[in-house]
Amino acid sequence: MAPTTVVRLQTVTEALRGLTAPTEVTVVSQASRENVLLQTLSCNLSAFRQKLLQDPDILTLRQLRENVMTQFTLPLNSDDIVWNFVAEALVLLLCLKQAMIDVLAQFTPPKRNPKSPECAPPLSPDTLSISQQKTVQSALQFVVTLGICPYLLPGVGVPLRCRSEFAVTVEKMVGHFMPADGTWRLHTVTQVLLTIAGHPSLESLVFSGHLGDLIASLCQLGYLPIKGQQDSVLGKGLPGYRASQKVARARSGPTQTIRQAPAWLRRLCGQFLSQALMKPHGVQAVVRGILEGAGAGLAGGRSAEAAASDWRKCDAVARILASCPQQCLSVADYYQQVCPQVIELFHMMDTLTARQFQRVATTTLLSMVKEQPNLADRHLLRPLLAPLVTCLRTEGMAEESGQEEVVIVGELELTRSVEDVYKVCVVGNDPLPRLMESLEGVIRAIFNLYCFTKQGVSHLRTPCQEILLWFFQKSETKVALQMLKQLAGLLPLIPSLQPLNQFTAGSEGGVKLISKRTVSDDDEVLYGKVYWDQWRAECLADLLSSLKESNIAGDFFIECLKGLACLAGGANCTSAPNCTGDLPDLQQQQLITVQLVAVMCEKIGHSVFSNTVQVIEFIVATLERSCMSMVHRTEEMVEAQTLSMGMGLIAAMLGGAVQLTSKDFVAMKSMLSLLTQLSATHPDPVIQELASDLRITIATHGAFSTQVVSEAAHCTMGNKTEGANRCIDPGRAAKASAVIEDREVSTSDMAVQPEARSSSSSQFHHIFEAAFDPEVSTRAAAIRTLTQLIQQHNPDALRNQEKILTVFLENLNHEDSFVYLSAIQGVSVLSDMYPARILPELLNKYQISPEETEKKQSVEARMKIGEVLMRSTRALGEMASHYRDQLIHVYLMGTRDSDSSLRASSLSNLGELCSCLDFAVGSVIHEVTACLSAMVKTEHEAEVRRAAIHVITLLLRGLCEKALQVLGDVLRDLYHLLKFAARTDVDQLVQLHAQLALEELDHVVKRVLFPEEKLEKKIMILP
């Protein structure tokens, strides 16, 4: 066509707009909607044809229209107005396509200006504007609604009545004029639309909104059984993943209003779905196509989150993938082709589709493992766990290659493997036998990886921890305990991580496995092994602490105790049923067991036991170890204390601490022989008597109980004093109980009854003597009892204040925390009740500079006295202002001490004092400010600078709104000091403390400037 006869795109789109635009028509009253629509189509068609003949401006369009009509046989003058309208719209769409081809053929792109390379290239001349695209979409909607949908068979595609109210009107209108050549019309419209879609600029407009109707039409035209002939025209020029989606939708729309798809269409969809699954990347195309309508794929957008929660749809897709189609020759071939594609679904990077794809992949994998365990293990689980298996089975490769380091498993492979296992196990949460068996083979690698990630920062730590917890929760108790023993080192790991292989941090926050050459330093190897054993025990204890709700932690702790009892037997260890003495190095095994028990006691504590039966088993293990120690004459002080604790627990349980059931008494039967042995062979007669009485009580199921058992139970449950909880033996328990009962007598009763006063004085001397007992628990209990006597104003305690203070001060140097903390509490109570006598002596001891030979010990003692002074200051409250000068003088001198810990302690006490002084701090605020400023700017130790900033925080917190009034002269200096520390200090914690102090100052100023409004009602009585 010559350049002068090229039709402009605007001319064609304006003609389409005139044909499809709504117009006002005169209709008879009470006319139906379908009649109004029919008259509107007729009027628009007549107006367009009249304009086409009379308007000289669209002469070129008329010529192009005649050329197009010669290529396509489209009758435009039939008796059916609707078909005439559809045919005219199709002709104009074909004209639009030809016009685009013509203008594009004559287009010569201009040369790019080198002076302005940032300018965007010019648009292609066949590009439609937004308004033109809307016009074309309206025309396509008319063509599909009037030219395709009325001719589809019931059950094929979505009928008009289920689309919109306008579509219902169209269905009623075309239903009255259904022609006999409907199939020919359907074929014509479908062919023209596919021809139009051949142009790139029109393809997206056709397929984005009408692909489902086109595929439904193609299915009916190509595969409807007619005289045994089936010709396929489906899929020409259609995108692959969309075809899967629309084929599925072609069967039906909303299920509540559409009849079931015909049998031939169901078979056809199944055949196409099977063919798509067997192709490369077919699984992803099918899943994307089916789930796209729920918000994934190209749709994306707002409904993506709602689609991810539509688990029913994802499960339905998973069932389709897990079922072998009939067209496949064998299930093994199907699994071999589909399983690798299922694994690829776990690694989708698109955030809109990742959640849905992962849900489908997880459900599909679990379904395949359930239906075909052997095939799923070969094609799914083994590839999924391959990197973790490599961590356990690879020999040292660095020596073979001659390199210093060789990467065995890369960071991406290991990260994907761990995340995939997490999605399948933790998210899928279906403990299938084959899945648990496969996971058991790599649980050692996951535990080693978890131990490594706990040493630093890695995003793999949480998935590894969740996988381990899930495995122990879902496994049988026997399997879980066996695996815990292997992870702890009590049983050999088969397979295990090779010595030359080790994990190292990756560049993306993950972990990779490398192989190093042989390390020649034996000391380094030994240190690494010892460190690894200790770190492994701590990581295992952390895992078990997260399993408090299950019984696995308590069962494993009891197994460790039984192992200790077995190892205590020495040569007879191998004969014990539950011990692990088959290892060659029994001494190493004993060290690991002791270390495990210690770490679990520290990290888990008493919560390790979740039921009464576990406590009973713990006591049985304790009694077995004691009996074994007596047989081999190896009993020590710790074992004697453990035995006393265990027998006290039995007495407490029998005394009513817990509600025992018949099942609990059955579990206690194993104690009878052990208690019999203790009552006959233990050297302590008190233990013998208690063991005999406990045996009788257990044998009678609690029907008979002696006084000895009751006293032991009272000592163990000890509600009166904390010292009673740490009794050493029943004899001392009885004595402690007597002391407590006598101490409950009031002072007035003692004054009335001389005999009672004499008895109380005797008991006080017994308690005072117990404060010098070498046994830690007895001494601590005595110190706490003396403290309580002072609080109760006991006459004997008040008369011996100086002696009691001396005892408290001497015990401040004790190495056991239970003792010196009790002493600190006692001195604090004394200084609170008698500050005038106690505080000067404490201040004198706090400021004495130690000799170099005793510096370390004296520093610790002075810091403990500082703790006492801080508690005393806090207890004095507003009365602290009376001792302000003495306390501030000592604290300011302490800030110049040579030891940094004492300088920090003095500053901490100074802050506590300033928070209590209120307005009394005003006269010494300049000295305090100068000291703090010097500390922040010149102190080398970060700990001391932190304490100095904390003093300012406590000062502002204590003064509250009064800070502006009290600190008026130095407030600006303190503000500048805090800003200086926040900006220039190298220690991050100092910066944090300074920022917190600035925030405290900000709150104070805001409360002053903007006081809180209080709504109050005042009632005034008029005279």
Side-chain angles (χ1 to χ4, degrees), residues 650-666:
I650 303 173
M653 294 172 65
L654 295 173
V658 294
Q659 187 68 31
L660 297 176
T661 62
S662 57
K663 182 179 178 181
D664 299 332
F665 281 106
V666 171

mmCIF file of all heavy atoms in Angstrom, residues 650-666:
data_model
loop_
_atom_site.group_PDB
_atom_site.id
_atom_site.type_symbol
_atom_site.label_atom_id
_atom_site.label_comp_id
_atom_site.label_asym_id
_atom_site.label_seq_id
_atom_site.Cartn_x
_atom_site.Cartn_y
_atom_site.Cartn_z
ATOM 1 N N ILE A 650 12.174 -38.644 98.627
ATOM 2 C CA ILE A 650 11.228 -39.750 98.839
ATOM 3 C C ILE A 650 10.298 -39.425 100.011
ATOM 4 O O ILE A 650 9.075 -39.595 99.933
ATOM 5 C CB ILE A 650 11.985 -41.059 99.117
ATOM 6 C CG1 ILE A 650 12.947 -41.379 97.980
ATOM 7 C CG2 ILE A 650 11.006 -42.211 99.279
ATOM 8 C CD1 ILE A 650 13.833 -42.565 98.269
ATOM 9 N N ALA A 651 10.886 -38.948 101.089
ATOM 10 C CA ALA A 651 10.075 -38.627 102.264
ATOM 11 C C ALA A 651 9.073 -37.522 101.961
ATOM 12 O O ALA A 651 7.921 -37.569 102.411
ATOM 13 C CB ALA A 651 11.000 -38.233 103.420
ATOM 14 N N ALA A 652 9.510 -36.490 101.200
ATOM 15 C CA ALA A 652 8.595 -35.401 100.864
ATOM 16 C C ALA A 652 7.444 -35.891 99.996
ATOM 17 O O ALA A 652 6.291 -35.499 100.193
ATOM 18 C CB ALA A 652 9.366 -34.287 100.160
ATOM 19 N N MET A 653 7.751 -36.765 99.032
ATOM 20 C CA MET A 653 6.692 -37.297 98.173
ATOM 21 C C MET A 653 5.717 -38.144 98.978
ATOM 22 O O MET A 653 4.495 -38.057 98.784
ATOM 23 C CB MET A 653 7.308 -38.124 97.046
ATOM 24 C CG MET A 653 8.145 -37.300 96.061
ATOM 25 S SD MET A 653 9.054 -38.321 94.883
ATOM 26 C CE MET A 653 7.696 -39.051 93.989
ATOM 27 N N LEU A 654 6.243 -38.941 99.897
ATOM 28 C CA LEU A 654 5.356 -39.761 100.729
ATOM 29 C C LEU A 654 4.637 -38.926 101.780
ATOM 30 O O LEU A 654 3.588 -39.331 102.286
ATOM 31 C CB LEU A 654 6.162 -40.865 101.416
ATOM 32 C CG LEU A 654 6.785 -41.917 100.479
ATOM 33 C CD1 LEU A 654 7.699 -42.848 101.276
ATOM 34 C CD2 LEU A 654 5.697 -42.718 99.777
ATOM 35 N N GLY A 655 5.197 -37.754 102.104
ATOM 36 C CA GLY A 655 4.589 -36.896 103.118
ATOM 37 C C GLY A 655 3.532 -35.967 102.593
ATOM 38 O O GLY A 655 3.010 -35.150 103.366
ATOM 39 N N GLY A 656 3.229 -36.027 101.299
ATOM 40 C CA GLY A 656 2.135 -35.220 100.760
ATOM 41 C C GLY A 656 2.564 -34.085 99.877
ATOM 42 O O GLY A 656 1.737 -33.240 99.506
ATOM 43 N N ALA A 657 3.852 -34.005 99.489
ATOM 44 C CA ALA A 657 4.291 -32.929 98.592
ATOM 45 C C ALA A 657 3.634 -33.048 97.228
ATOM 46 O O ALA A 657 3.354 -32.043 96.563
ATOM 47 C CB ALA A 657 5.811 -32.950 98.464
ATOM 48 N N VAL A 658 3.397 -34.286 96.781
ATOM 49 C CA VAL A 658 2.694 -34.528 95.521
ATOM 50 C C VAL A 658 1.622 -35.574 95.767
ATOM 51 O O VAL A 658 1.679 -36.333 96.740
ATOM 52 C CB VAL A 658 3.672 -35.015 94.417
ATOM 53 C CG1 VAL A 658 4.651 -33.935 94.056
ATOM 54 C CG2 VAL A 658 4.394 -36.269 94.840
ATOM 55 N N GLN A 659 0.650 -35.610 94.889
ATOM 56 C CA GLN A 659 -0.418 -36.592 94.984
ATOM 57 C C GLN A 659 0.013 -37.850 94.240
ATOM 58 O O GLN A 659 0.082 -37.880 93.020
ATOM 59 C CB GLN A 659 -1.714 -36.029 94.387
ATOM 60 C CG GLN A 659 -2.923 -36.902 94.588
ATOM 61 C CD GLN A 659 -3.342 -36.985 96.061
ATOM 62 O OE1 GLN A 659 -3.150 -36.031 96.813
ATOM 63 N NE2 GLN A 659 -3.909 -38.105 96.462
ATOM 64 N N LEU A 660 0.324 -38.904 94.983
ATOM 65 C CA LEU A 660 0.820 -40.132 94.392
ATOM 66 C C LEU A 660 -0.345 -41.013 93.943
ATOM 67 O O LEU A 660 -1.381 -41.081 94.600
ATOM 68 C CB LEU A 660 1.692 -40.896 95.399
ATOM 69 C CG LEU A 660 2.969 -40.190 95.856
ATOM 70 C CD1 LEU A 660 3.685 -41.027 96.918
ATOM 71 C CD2 LEU A 660 3.897 -39.942 94.681
ATOM 72 N N THR A 661 -0.139 -41.680 92.815
ATOM 73 C CA THR A 661 -1.138 -42.593 92.277
ATOM 74 C C THR A 661 -0.613 -44.028 92.385
ATOM 75 O O THR A 661 0.527 -44.269 92.777
ATOM 76 C CB THR A 661 -1.448 -42.247 90.815
ATOM 77 O OG1 THR A 661 -0.260 -42.397 90.034
ATOM 78 C CG2 THR A 661 -1.945 -40.807 90.690
ATOM 79 N N SER A 662 -1.474 -44.953 92.015
ATOM 80 C CA SER A 662 -1.061 -46.356 92.048
ATOM 81 C C SER A 662 0.092 -46.618 91.080
ATOM 82 O O SER A 662 0.974 -47.438 91.336
ATOM 83 C CB SER A 662 -2.251 -47.258 91.713
ATOM 84 O OG SER A 662 -2.794 -46.924 90.441
ATOM 85 N N LYS A 663 0.108 -45.894 89.960
ATOM 86 C CA LYS A 663 1.205 -46.035 89.002
ATOM 87 C C LYS A 663 2.516 -45.577 89.624
ATOM 88 O O LYS A 663 3.579 -46.177 89.382
ATOM 89 C CB LYS A 663 0.883 -45.217 87.749
ATOM 90 C CG LYS A 663 1.930 -45.322 86.670
ATOM 91 C CD LYS A 663 1.528 -44.496 85.461
ATOM 92 C CE LYS A 663 2.598 -44.551 84.367
ATOM 93 N NZ LYS A 663 2.235 -43.724 83.186
ATOM 94 N N ASP A 664 2.475 -44.535 90.442
ATOM 95 C CA ASP A 664 3.691 -44.057 91.093
ATOM 96 C C ASP A 664 4.215 -45.078 92.101
ATOM 97 O O ASP A 664 5.428 -45.307 92.203
ATOM 98 C CB ASP A 664 3.426 -42.720 91.789
ATOM 99 C CG ASP A 664 3.003 -41.643 90.803
ATOM 100 O OD1 ASP A 664 3.412 -41.730 89.627
ATOM 101 O OD2 ASP A 664 2.250 -40.736 91.202
ATOM 102 N N PHE A 665 3.329 -45.713 92.844
ATOM 103 C CA PHE A 665 3.768 -46.722 93.823
ATOM 104 C C PHE A 665 4.339 -47.955 93.128
ATOM 105 O O PHE A 665 5.265 -48.598 93.635
ATOM 106 C CB PHE A 665 2.611 -47.111 94.742
ATOM 107 C CG PHE A 665 2.344 -46.119 95.837
ATOM 108 C CD1 PHE A 665 1.241 -45.279 95.797
ATOM 109 C CD2 PHE A 665 3.219 -46.010 96.922
ATOM 110 C CE1 PHE A 665 1.000 -44.359 96.804
ATOM 111 C CE2 PHE A 665 2.982 -45.094 97.925
ATOM 112 C CZ PHE A 665 1.878 -44.266 97.882
ATOM 113 N N VAL A 666 3.788 -48.272 91.946
ATOM 114 C CA VAL A 666 4.375 -49.377 91.182
ATOM 115 C C VAL A 666 5.805 -49.033 90.774
ATOM 116 O O VAL A 666 6.708 -49.886 90.828
ATOM 117 C CB VAL A 666 3.500 -49.691 89.952
ATOM 118 C CG1 VAL A 666 4.206 -50.682 89.028
ATOM 119 C CG2 VAL A 666 2.154 -50.236 90.384
#
